[in-house]
Amino acid sequence: MVFGLSGAWGAGKTSTLHLIKNALDENHDEWNVVFFTPWAVNDPYALAEEFYRTIAAAMPENDKGEHAKKMLNAAAPALAAGAKAIFHGVLNRYLGEGTTQEAAQAFFDAAADSAGDIRVEEDPFAKRFEGIGKVLTELDIQVLVVVDDIDRLHHDELLAVMKAVRLLGRFDGVHYLLSYDTQTVTDVLTRSDLANGNARRAEQYLEKIVQYPFELPPIQLLHLRREFDRQLSTLARRGGFNLGSRDDGTLHLDVILEQLPLDSLTLRTVHRLFAQVDMVLSLVTDKSSEGSCATDEIDVVDTVLITYLRLEYPQLYRSLRSWKRDLTQGKAASATLQERTDLADQWRAKVATAVDPDGKNEDTTSRAYTLLRALFAPAIPRPQNDYRVIPDPASFQIRSSDYFDRYFAFGFPATDLRDAAVRAELIELISTGKLPEASLIHSHVANAETAPLLRTKVRTIIGDVLDEIGDVTHSGEAAIALTRAITDKERQQPHRDAWWAVAAFQLWVAANVGIGQEAAQDAITAYLDDFETDITITVLDVGRGQITPGTSLWIASEPVRDRVHSELVAALLDDRDLTEHGPLARYWYWASQQEGLIDRVRETVRQRSTATGGVDLLDLAARLVTVGHSLDFEQEALQGFDIETLIAIVPFNDWPADQLPDQLIAGIDVTDLSYRNRRDFAANVVFNALHKQPSSTR
C-alpha cells in the first residue's frame, strides 16, 4: 500500500513522519520502518536501485532475512539498469521489442555482477520479481518505507520515484509513506511529458500512485500561540529581559500575532523566524560589557516584526532604508481625513510595487501593508475597517530615526552610540558628580557625526536614570560637570532646548525633590558661580512653566533673579560700554517672564536716580540702543529699541518734560558707536515715539 502525507512546506510533515516511526517502533514489533532519501542519488535511474537497498536494510537479522537481503541487493543494480533502458525508450517514443530486449539484457548483466553467492539464472524479470516477493512473504514482516520531500525533486526524478513505488509496491508486506506538498507535486508533474501541461492529468496520476492520502491540517491558533510564547520565553530567558505587556494589559505576544498572517504560518516558519530574531538580538548585544542586554538597544516586538518582513517580503525590506525619512516623520498622525486617505493610497502603491509588482495578489499587498503599519504607525495610516491592536510607542523602536538604522545593521552601527553605555555613564555622573575618565560624552560631544545622537540620548535617558537612582546627593555637581563638557559654540549660543540645559534642569529638580529646597538652591548657586548668568538662566528657562512664585524651585532660584537684577541695574546706570550682546539684550526678555523682577529693577533705578538728582531719560534710552551687523554698511551699526522697554523702566507719566526732544537730530552716523552718538540716536527714537511717526534714525 502507498500512503501519502501532504501538507504545506514547514507544516510539520517531517516531524509527523518521525512520530509515526516512533509509534510503530515502540508499539508494533512486526513493523520495520526505514527512511528512503531521494537526495542520496543524483541519477534518477539509480533511484530504483536505492529503493531495493533501502528495503533490504529493513530485513530481520536471521537466516531468512539475510537471504532476502542478498536477493534484494542483487536485484537492485539490475532493476536500475533495466529502468534506465526503459526510461530512455519512453523518452524516444518507441517502447517496442528492441527496447524490451535491451532492458532485459541490462537486467541480467547487472544482476550477474552483483549477485555474490546468489546464483543468478536468466529468469524472466517477472519470475525474479515473484521470487523476491515470495521470500518477503515467508518472512511475514511489515516494512514501511518513508520517502520525505518528494516535492523537491526534479520532474524526471519524481517520475522515477513514482515508478519505483508503483513497481515495488507489489511486494507483500512492503508499504510506502510519501511526504509532499500536493500543489507542488502537481505543478512538477504537470510540467513533465507525462501530463504535458494538463494539471488534471497530473492529479490523476498522483491519485493512482497514492492509495491512502492524508493531509496535515493547518496549525491551530492555540498551538501557534503556544509555540510563539515558548519561543519568546526562550529568547527572554537567554537574553535576560522580560517581554511583559502593554499598559492596557495586552500581552506583547498577542500584539505580534495580530500583525502576522496566521493562516499561512507553519512551525517551520515560526522556528526560522525566531532563529533569525535570536541571531539579530545576539549581534546587537555588547559582548564586551557584562550584563549587556539587546533590549537596551532595540525593541523586541519590532525586531520580531521586521525580521518576519525581511524573510517574507525581502524586496520590501530592501526598500525601507530608502524610505527612512518618510517612515520616521509621522505625517499620518497630524493629517486630515482626506490626507490620510491619500497617504494610505500612496503607501499601498509603494508596498504593492515591492511585493506584488504584477498586481496578481491583492492579499499579499494587504498583509505586507498591515505589517509595515504596525512598525511605522505614525507615518502609515490605518487601513479602513482595520481595528487590530498595534505596538504602543516605546523606547528604541524602528519608527524613531535615532534607532531606525539599528534594525538593518546586523550588529551595531559604527556611527551609533549604545543607549546602555550612555545610561551607564549618566549613572556614574549622578552617583559621583563626575564624568568617568574615559568619558563617552567627552569623546563624542564635538564629533560632527555622533554629537547629535549623543545630545538626543542624554536628553531622553537622564530622566529614566534619575527615576532609578535613589541617591541624588551629587546631582548639583553632576549638572556642573555635564555643562563643563559642552563645546565653546554651545556655550556661546545657549538655548532652552539644548541637551545640557534639559539635563541640568532635571538634575536640579531631582535635588529639590530628593534632598530639599536648600540643596536645590545650593546646586543652582554653585552653577551660577561657575557659569555666570547666561548659561544659568537658560537652564532655568527649561522649567518656565514649572517655576512659579511660591514653589520651592522658585525660592531655590532666587539667587539667579538677584544676579539678573543687579546686572540689569548696572547696565542701566553704571556701564557705558556698548556691546552687541549686553545684559539688557540678553536678560531683559527672561526678566520680563519672572514675576516682579522688572518692578524691582524699575524701583531700584528710581531710588538711585532720585538719590543722584533725578532720572536722566536719554541716558537710559541710550543704554537700550543695541548694536548689530549692518548689511548696508557691512560693519557694526546702531539699531533701534522697543520704546515699551523704556516705559517699563520709567513709566511714561514720569518722563521729565524738560528732557524730551522737540525735534529730530539730523545727520546721525549709525556706524559711530560712541556714547554721545548713541544718546542722539536714542533721542530720535524717543521723539518718533512721542509723535507717533515712522521710526527714523537718520
Side-chain angles (χ1 to χ4, degrees), residues 185-233:
V185 167
T186 302
D187 290 344
V188 173
L189 291 174
T190 300
R191 292 193 296 270
S192 70
D193 289 341
L194 177 75
N196 198 25
N198 188 326
R200 181 53 191 151
R201 181 170 175 79
E203 292 171 357
Q204 290 172 336
Y205 181 77
L206 182 60
E207 293 167 2
K208 183 177 180 180
I209 299 296
V210 179
Q211 299 157 333
Y212 298 97
F214 298 92
E215 183 168 359
L216 279 179
I219 185 171
Q220 297 182 35
L221 179 58
L222 174 64
H223 299 149
L224 187 64
R225 187 181 186 281
R226 186 179 300 161
E227 183 61 22
F228 261 82
D229 188 30
R230 189 180 72 83
Q231 294 286 346
L232 284 169
S233 297

Side-chain angles (χ1 to χ4, degrees), residues 372-687:
L372 199 62
R373 183 184 182 273
L375 291 165
F376 303 100
I380 300 179
R382 181 192 298 273
Q384 190 174 8
N385 300 322
D386 184 347
Y387 302 104
R388 75 188 72 210
V389 177
I390 61 174
D392 277 340
S395 300
F396 319 124
Q397 287 180 313
I398 191 174
R399 66 182 65 175
S400 167
S401 59
D402 292 332
Y403 299 104
F404 181 91
D405 292 335
R406 292 185 180 181
Y407 292 84
F408 300 87
F410 291 94
F412 202 80
T415 57
D416 203 347
L417 298 176
R418 290 188 177 275
D419 287 60
V422 175
R423 179 184 295 271
E425 181 153 319
L426 291 176
I427 289 174
E428 181 171 347
L429 171 67
I430 296 167
S431 300
T432 66
K434 301 176 182 178
L435 286 170
E437 186 174 341
S439 168
L440 188 74
I441 292 174
H442 276 306
S443 299
H444 294 277
V445 71
N447 185 304
E449 287 187 326
T450 56
L453 195 58
L454 171 70
R455 298 167 193 151
T456 299
K457 291 188 184 302
V458 171
R459 186 189 294 114
T460 55
I461 293 174
I462 194 167
D464 292 337
V465 172
L466 285 168
D467 289 341
E468 294 174 12
I469 294 179
D471 183 6
V472 291
T473 305
H474 299 286
S475 57
E477 301 163 65
I480 293 173
L482 189 65
T483 307
R484 284 176 179 168
I486 67 177
T487 64
D488 290 341
K489 183 177 181 180
E490 289 174 316
R491 193 184 302 271
Q492 293 162 7
Q493 299 175 349
H495 57 89
R496 67 189 298 260
D497 294 324
W499 64 279
W500 53 269
V502 172
F505 180 74
Q506 291 186 72
L507 289 165
W508 290 349
V509 171
N512 183 61
V513 174
I515 309 175
Q517 174 188 307
E518 185 177 346
Q521 183 165 323
D522 289 343
I524 294 172
T525 302
Y527 193 94
L528 178 63
D529 292 341
D530 203 299
F531 298 108
E532 301 301 332
T533 311
D534 299 59
I535 299 293
T536 307
I537 65 173
T538 299
V539 177
L540 284 175
D541 206 29
V542 173
R544 185 184 300 169
Q546 302 176 45
I547 306 177
T548 55
T551 61
S552 57
L553 270 178
W554 175 272
I555 298 171
S557 59
E558 189 63 32
V560 182
R561 285 185 291 280
D562 290 344
R563 178 76 64 87
V564 171
H565 166 266
S566 298
E567 292 191 24
L568 287 177
V569 169
L572 288 167
L573 298 177
D574 300 328
D575 301 328
R576 288 191 173 183
D577 293 335
L578 181 63
T579 59
E580 183 175 357
H581 299 291
L584 288 168
R586 301 201 310 272
Y587 309 151
W588 187 265
Y589 176 77
W590 184 84
S592 69
Q593 304 299 308
Q594 308 298 306
E595 185 173 312
L597 184 53
I598 295 299
D599 294 339
R600 285 177 59 193
V601 171
R602 180 171 59 247
E603 179 59 21
T604 302
V605 169
R606 187 190 67 77
Q607 291 177 2
R608 286 188 55 183
S609 297
T610 300
T612 57
V615 66
D616 184 343
L617 184 66
L618 294 183
D619 177 69
L620 290 173
R623 296 167 188 271
L624 296 179
V625 174
T626 58
V627 63
H629 187 78
S630 170
L631 295 178
D632 292 336
F633 299 97
E634 297 184 351
Q635 65 183 89
E636 299 292 291
L638 300 177
Q639 296 179 347
F641 60 88
D642 185 356
I643 199 67
E644 295 300 325
T645 304
L646 182 60
I647 294 173
I649 300 169
V650 181
F652 184 78
N653 292 334
D654 294 340
W655 285 10
D658 60 343
Q659 295 183 24
L660 301 180
D662 54 8
Q663 63 180 8
L664 287 173
I665 301 173
I668 292 179
D669 180 5
V670 294
T671 62
D672 179 359
L673 307 184
S674 67
Y675 172 75
R676 180 69 258 172
N677 195 54
R678 285 179 358 225
R679 188 180 177 96
D680 290 344
F681 183 94
N684 281 357
V685 175
V686 172
F687 179 85

